[in-house]
Amino acid sequence: MMANKEMNNLLDDIMIEKIATAPVNELMAEYNISANEIQTTQSRFLDRVKKHKQQLKKNRLKDARAQLEAEKKKHDTVDVAGFLAKKGKDAKAILIDLLLQQKLPENLTIAHREGKEFTDEDANQIIANLIAMGVIDVDDKGD
């Protein structure tokens, strides 16, 4: 049964290819159709392809938005204060420890502060981002 379905699909593909590559005058003669009918069919086909491509783009955008929302939720659920209390250190001390232990990602960069002080809030935000990215494991028992 499956072989028959595959055979029918193959024959359909061959027929579609034959029709798609055939000259217009040959199609007109073989199927007794006019140039207007061919143009109408071609226009409908192109319209369907365009709509399908638009739907695919919308679906990709929808998926990307869903992934972005999931990432935002990760950041929203980070309990930096609880993590710091558990460690008994402030965020700056933890960042220094991670730097000394070479546990920070190689591609991690911190923006130039233009002479401004690196605040505790800045350090807390970096810790929150590292937790959300999975660089820091909040459930890590051995330290």
Side-chain angles (χ1 to χ4, degrees), residues 30-82:
E30 186 172 338
Y31 296 103
N32 195 25
I33 54 176
S34 68
N36 286 340
E37 290 172 312
I38 289 176
Q39 288 175 343
T40 301
T41 303
Q42 182 183 33
S43 178
R44 272 190 265 150
F45 174 75
L46 293 175
D47 186 55
R48 287 180 184 167
V49 168
K50 182 179 176 181
K51 286 179 181 175
H52 183 69
K53 285 175 69 176
Q54 289 172 337
Q55 188 61 45
L56 287 175
K57 286 179 183 179
K58 286 179 184 178
N59 289 345
R60 276 195 301 242
L61 182 58
K62 189 177 179 182
D63 289 345
R65 283 185 181 147
Q67 289 175 355
L68 177 61
E69 287 303 315
E71 285 298 315
K72 284 182 181 179
K73 284 181 182 176
K74 278 187 197 176
H75 285 270
D76 291 343
T77 60
V78 171
D79 179 17
V80 176

Side-chain angles (χ1 to χ4, degrees), residues 101-115:
Q101 295 171 16
Q102 297 181 344
K103 289 187 177 180
L104 293 174
E106 289 181 20
N107 59 352
L108 178 70
T109 59
I110 299 175
H112 180 33
R113 305 291 306 157
E114 297 181 7

Side-chain angles (χ1 to χ4, degrees), residues 80-134:
V80 176
F83 174 73
L84 295 176
K86 179 177 148 185
K87 292 293 186 182
K89 298 179 181 180
D90 69 354
K92 288 180 182 179
I94 290 177
L95 287 173
I96 291 169
D97 288 347
L98 290 171
L99 183 64
L100 292 174
Q101 295 171 16
Q102 297 181 344
K103 289 187 177 180
L104 293 174
E106 289 181 20
N107 59 352
L108 178 70
T109 59
I110 299 175
H112 180 33
R113 305 291 306 157
E114 297 181 7
K116 296 179 183 175
E117 183 181 330
F118 183 71
T119 67
D120 290 335
E121 183 57 38
D122 294 332
N124 287 346
Q125 187 58 52
I126 293 170
I127 293 292
N129 291 340
L130 291 172
I131 291 170
M133 292 182 336

